Amino acid sequence: RKEVEQDPGPFNVPEGATVAFNCTYSNSASQSFFWYRQDCRKEPKLLMSVYSSGNEDGRFTAQLNRASQYISLLIRDSKLSDSATYLCVVNGPNNDMRFGAGTRLTVKP
Amino acid sequence: DTAVSQTPKYLVTQMGNDKSIKCEQNLGHDTMYWYKQDSKKFLKIMFSYNNKELIINETVPNRFSPKSPDKAHLNLHINSLELGDSAVYFCASSQDPPARGNEKLFFGSGTQLSVL
Protein backbone atom coordinates (compact mmCIF):
# COMPACT_ATOMS: atom_id res chain seq x y z
CA ARG A 1 0.00 0.00 0.00
CA LYS A 2 1.35 3.44 -0.93
CA GLU A 3 1.98 5.80 1.95
CA VAL A 4 -0.17 8.53 0.45
CA GLU A 5 -2.89 7.68 -2.05
CA GLN A 6 -4.93 9.98 -4.23
CA ASP A 7 -7.38 9.52 -7.05
CA PRO A 8 -5.27 10.53 -10.06
CA GLY A 9 -8.24 11.84 -12.01
CA PRO A 10 -8.27 13.61 -14.37
CA PHE A 11 -11.15 15.74 -13.23
CA ASN A 12 -12.62 17.84 -16.04
CA VAL A 13 -15.15 20.35 -14.74
CA PRO A 14 -16.85 23.47 -16.08
CA GLU A 15 -16.14 26.89 -14.64
CA GLY A 16 -18.16 27.52 -11.52
CA ALA A 17 -18.34 23.85 -10.53
CA THR A 18 -17.51 22.49 -7.11
CA VAL A 19 -14.95 19.71 -7.07
CA ALA A 20 -13.60 17.56 -4.25
CA PHE A 21 -10.34 15.63 -3.99
CA ASN A 22 -9.61 12.88 -1.52
CA CYS A 23 -6.43 11.49 -0.06
CA THR A 24 -5.64 8.68 2.36
CA TYR A 25 -2.43 8.01 4.25
CA SER A 26 -1.09 4.86 5.85
CA ASN A 27 1.13 6.09 8.71
CA SER A 28 -1.01 6.79 11.75
CA ALA A 29 1.93 8.63 13.34
CA SER A 30 1.81 11.31 10.65
CA GLN A 31 1.90 14.73 12.18
CA SER A 32 0.83 17.31 9.66
CA PHE A 33 -0.90 17.54 6.34
CA PHE A 34 -0.94 19.80 3.35
CA TRP A 35 -2.26 20.39 -0.12
CA TYR A 36 0.20 21.57 -2.73
CA ARG A 37 -0.50 22.72 -6.24
CA GLN A 38 1.76 22.00 -9.22
CA ASP A 39 1.41 23.68 -12.58
CA CYS A 40 2.84 22.05 -15.68
CA ARG A 41 6.66 22.08 -15.68
CA LYS A 42 6.81 24.07 -12.47
CA GLU A 43 7.75 23.31 -8.89
CA PRO A 44 5.02 22.43 -6.37
CA LYS A 45 3.75 25.30 -4.22
CA LEU A 46 1.87 25.19 -0.96
CA LEU A 47 -1.85 25.71 -1.38
CA MET A 48 -2.86 25.25 2.24
CA SER A 49 -2.13 23.38 5.42
CA VAL A 50 -4.82 21.02 6.73
CA TYR A 51 -5.83 21.32 10.37
CA SER A 52 -7.82 18.87 12.46
CA SER A 53 -10.67 21.31 12.87
CA GLY A 54 -10.87 21.88 9.12
CA ASN A 55 -9.90 25.14 7.53
CA GLU A 56 -10.96 27.40 4.72
CA ASP A 57 -9.09 29.80 2.51
CA GLY A 58 -11.41 31.63 0.15
CA ARG A 59 -12.89 29.08 -2.23
CA PHE A 60 -10.76 26.25 -0.83
CA THR A 61 -11.73 24.09 2.15
CA ALA A 62 -9.53 21.37 3.62
CA GLN A 63 -10.65 18.67 6.02
CA LEU A 64 -8.74 16.07 8.04
CA ASN A 65 -10.10 12.91 9.60
CA ARG A 66 -7.34 11.37 11.70
CA ALA A 67 -9.42 8.35 12.71
CA SER A 68 -9.96 7.40 9.07
CA GLN A 69 -6.56 8.76 7.95
CA TYR A 70 -8.27 10.78 5.29
CA ILE A 71 -7.77 14.29 3.93
CA SER A 72 -9.94 16.20 1.52
CA LEU A 73 -9.86 19.39 -0.51
CA LEU A 74 -12.97 21.13 -1.77
CA ILE A 75 -12.81 23.83 -4.42
CA ARG A 76 -15.92 25.93 -4.91
CA ASP A 77 -16.74 28.11 -7.90
CA SER A 78 -13.88 26.70 -9.99
CA LYS A 79 -11.89 29.12 -12.11
CA LEU A 80 -9.91 28.41 -15.26
CA SER A 81 -6.79 29.30 -13.26
CA ASP A 82 -7.47 26.42 -10.86
CA SER A 83 -6.39 23.98 -13.58
CA ALA A 84 -3.35 22.22 -12.15
CA THR A 85 -2.31 19.04 -10.35
CA TYR A 86 -3.19 18.96 -6.65
CA LEU A 87 -0.81 17.05 -4.42
CA CYS A 88 -1.66 15.67 -1.00
CA VAL A 89 1.36 15.82 1.33
CA VAL A 90 1.79 14.06 4.65
CA ASN A 91 4.57 14.81 7.12
CA GLY A 92 5.68 11.83 9.19
CA PRO A 93 7.60 11.65 12.46
CA ASN A 94 10.96 12.06 10.69
CA ASN A 95 9.88 15.20 8.86
CA ASP A 96 9.67 13.03 5.75
CA MET A 97 7.26 15.02 3.64
CA ARG A 98 5.62 12.43 1.40
CA PHE A 99 3.57 13.26 -1.64
CA GLY A 100 0.62 11.55 -3.21
CA ALA A 101 0.69 10.95 -6.94
CA GLY A 102 -1.46 14.02 -7.51
CA THR A 103 -4.93 14.67 -8.87
CA ARG A 104 -5.12 16.49 -12.15
CA LEU A 105 -7.84 19.12 -12.53
CA THR A 106 -8.86 20.83 -15.74
CA VAL A 107 -11.44 23.61 -15.52
CA LYS A 108 -13.11 24.33 -18.86
CA PRO A 109 -14.98 27.44 -20.03
CA ASP B 1 16.33 36.77 -4.17
CA THR B 2 15.63 33.13 -4.94
CA ALA B 3 14.96 31.20 -1.74
CA VAL B 4 15.96 27.76 -3.05
CA SER B 5 18.13 27.69 -6.13
CA GLN B 6 19.31 24.65 -7.98
CA THR B 7 21.60 24.33 -10.96
CA PRO B 8 21.61 23.43 -13.72
CA LYS B 9 18.02 23.81 -14.90
CA TYR B 10 18.56 21.39 -17.76
CA LEU B 11 21.10 18.59 -17.96
CA VAL B 12 21.49 16.40 -21.03
CA THR B 13 24.10 13.69 -20.87
CA GLN B 14 25.09 10.26 -22.13
CA MET B 15 24.59 6.98 -20.34
CA GLY B 16 27.49 6.07 -18.10
CA ASN B 17 28.49 9.64 -17.31
CA ASP B 18 28.75 11.12 -13.82
CA LYS B 19 26.93 14.38 -13.10
CA SER B 20 26.09 16.65 -10.19
CA ILE B 21 23.16 18.90 -9.36
CA LYS B 22 23.68 21.69 -6.86
CA CYS B 23 21.17 23.17 -4.44
CA GLU B 24 21.39 26.13 -2.12
CA GLN B 25 18.84 27.73 0.20
CA ASN B 26 19.11 31.15 1.82
CA LEU B 27 16.17 30.71 4.20
CA GLY B 28 18.15 29.51 7.19
CA HIS B 29 16.28 26.20 7.13
CA ASP B 30 17.68 23.13 8.84
CA THR B 31 16.20 20.46 6.60
CA MET B 32 16.79 19.92 2.91
CA TYR B 33 15.42 17.30 0.53
CA TRP B 34 15.86 15.78 -2.88
CA TYR B 35 12.78 14.61 -4.74
CA LYS B 36 12.53 12.84 -8.08
CA GLN B 37 9.57 13.38 -10.38
CA ASP B 38 9.39 10.81 -13.13
CA SER B 39 7.47 10.81 -16.39
CA LYS B 40 4.31 9.75 -14.57
CA LYS B 41 4.63 12.92 -12.47
CA PHE B 42 4.92 11.06 -9.17
CA LEU B 43 7.05 13.11 -6.77
CA LYS B 44 9.11 10.68 -4.72
CA ILE B 45 11.35 11.57 -1.81
CA MET B 46 14.95 10.42 -2.23
CA PHE B 47 16.90 11.95 0.64
CA SER B 48 16.58 14.41 3.44
CA TYR B 49 19.27 16.05 5.51
CA ASN B 50 18.91 17.88 8.78
CA ASN B 51 21.79 20.15 9.72
CA LYS B 52 24.17 18.29 7.39
CA GLU B 53 23.16 14.87 8.70
CA LEU B 54 21.39 12.26 6.59
CA ILE B 55 17.91 11.58 7.97
CA ILE B 56 16.07 9.85 5.16
CA ASN B 57 17.57 7.60 2.54
CA GLU B 58 14.86 5.93 0.52
CA THR B 59 15.47 2.92 -1.64
CA VAL B 60 17.67 4.76 -4.04
CA PRO B 61 20.53 3.12 -5.96
CA ASN B 62 23.87 3.86 -4.37
CA ARG B 63 24.89 5.53 -7.64
CA PHE B 64 23.10 8.51 -6.09
CA SER B 65 25.15 10.21 -3.40
CA PRO B 66 23.97 13.36 -1.64
CA LYS B 67 26.50 15.69 -0.07
CA SER B 68 25.77 18.45 2.40
CA PRO B 69 28.86 20.62 3.03
CA ASP B 70 26.79 22.91 5.25
CA LYS B 71 23.14 23.23 6.13
CA ALA B 72 22.49 25.69 3.31
CA HIS B 73 23.66 23.30 0.60
CA LEU B 74 22.62 19.85 -0.51
CA ASN B 75 24.17 18.59 -3.71
CA LEU B 76 23.30 15.40 -5.56
CA HIS B 77 25.95 13.43 -7.39
CA ILE B 78 24.93 10.65 -9.76
CA ASN B 79 27.41 8.07 -11.02
CA SER B 80 27.07 5.89 -14.11
CA LEU B 81 23.89 7.51 -15.33
CA GLU B 82 21.21 5.22 -16.75
CA LEU B 83 18.26 5.88 -19.06
CA GLY B 84 15.87 5.39 -16.14
CA ASP B 85 17.46 8.28 -14.27
CA SER B 86 15.82 10.70 -16.69
CA ALA B 87 13.41 12.77 -14.62
CA VAL B 88 12.98 16.16 -13.00
CA TYR B 89 14.88 16.46 -9.73
CA PHE B 90 13.61 18.96 -7.18
CA CYS B 91 15.49 20.27 -4.21
CA ALA B 92 13.46 21.59 -1.28
CA SER B 93 13.95 22.91 2.22
CA SER B 94 11.86 23.30 5.36
CA GLN B 95 12.31 24.57 8.86
CA ASP B 96 12.94 22.09 11.67
CA PRO B 97 11.85 21.05 14.25
CA PRO B 98 8.38 20.66 12.85
CA ALA B 99 5.87 22.98 14.34
CA ARG B 100 2.48 24.02 13.17
CA GLY B 101 2.94 26.00 10.01
CA ASN B 102 6.69 25.56 9.85
CA GLU B 103 6.87 22.48 7.72
CA LYS B 104 6.14 24.30 4.51
CA LEU B 105 8.40 23.07 1.76
CA PHE B 106 10.15 25.59 -0.41
CA PHE B 107 11.13 24.07 -3.73
CA GLY B 108 13.76 24.92 -6.24
CA SER B 109 12.62 25.23 -9.84
CA GLY B 110 13.81 21.75 -10.73
CA THR B 111 16.54 20.18 -12.85
CA GLN B 112 15.37 18.30 -15.90
CA LEU B 113 17.83 15.47 -16.44
CA SER B 114 17.79 13.68 -19.78
CA VAL B 115 20.01 10.64 -20.19
CA LEU B 116 20.56 9.63 -23.81
Side-chain angles (χ1 to χ4, degrees):
Chain A
R1 182 183 173 187
K2 288 182 183 172
E3 299 198 12
V4 182
E5 295 210 56
Q6 293 181 247
D7 180 347
F11 284 65
N12 298 308
V13 302
E15 270 188 290
T18 295
V19 61
F21 304 139
N22 302 321
C23 171
T24 57
Y25 60 95
S26 60
N27 187 347
S28 59
S30 297
Q31 298 178 331
S32 47
F33 312 88
F34 308 87
W35 285 99
Y36 275 70
R37 170 191 169 130
Q38 186 174 26
D39 293 287
C40 188
R41 299 184 181 277
K42 298 282 191 183
E43 70 273 21
K45 291 187 178 175
L46 179 67
L47 178 67
M48 59 197 301
S49 301
V50 186
Y51 301 130
S52 296
S53 53
N55 48 297
E56 190 173 305
D57 182 1
R59 298 179 293 108
F60 299 84
T61 301
Q63 298 276 355
L64 166 65
N65 184 324
R66 283 189 185 267
S68 303
Q69 295 179 203
Y70 170 92
I71 305 157
S72 65
L73 176 68
L74 184 77
I75 306 176
R76 290 182 300 279
D77 188 22
S78 300
K79 311 289 184 194
L80 295 176
S81 57
D82 294 335
S83 297
T85 296
Y86 290 83
L87 301 161
C88 176
V89 183
V90 175
N91 194 18
N94 293 327
N95 211 17
D96 54 330
M97 300 277 271
R98 295 188 184 269
F99 283 71
T103 299
R104 189 169 166 191
L105 172 67
T106 301
V107 181
K108 299 188 173 179
Chain B
D1 284 341
T2 304
V4 182
S5 59
Q6 56 181 106
T7 55
K9 190 168 177 62
Y10 299 99
L11 185 52
V12 182
T13 189
Q14 301 284 337
M15 275 176 57
N17 284 351
D18 303 339
K19 290 292 178 186
S20 292
I21 307 172
K22 295 186 176 182
C23 180
E24 175 181 5
Q25 53 96 3
N26 62 6
L27 298 165
H29 288 167
D30 292 317
T31 305
M32 295 185 72
Y33 305 79
W34 277 108
Y35 285 87
K36 176 182 179 180
Q37 190 167 42
D38 58 26
S39 57
K40 295 182 179 177
K41 307 300 181 190
F42 181 47
L43 201 67
K44 183 172 169 56
I45 190 168
M46 300 174 69
F47 302 102
S48 84
Y49 270 71
N50 180 267
N51 238 334
K52 302 192 295 175
E53 291 199 19
L54 181 65
I55 302 298
I56 294 168
N57 184 349
E58 291 290 289
T59 343
V60 176
N62 57 17
R63 297 182 295 104
F64 290 78
S65 51
K67 294 270 190 316
S68 183
D70 55 63
K71 76 173 194 176
H73 295 84
L74 181 61
N75 304 322
L76 184 65
H77 189 75
I78 316 171
N79 289 329
S80 304
L81 279 155
E82 299 178 357
L83 293 176
D85 297 333
S86 296
V88 180
Y89 292 83
F90 285 102
C91 176
S93 72
S94 70
Q95 193 165 323
D96 186 81
R100 182 165 164 146
N102 283 351
E103 307 98 321
K104 176 181 176 180
L105 282 173
F106 292 78
F107 279 89
S109 57
T111 296
Q112 186 163 334
L113 171 65
S114 299
V115 182
L116 307 178

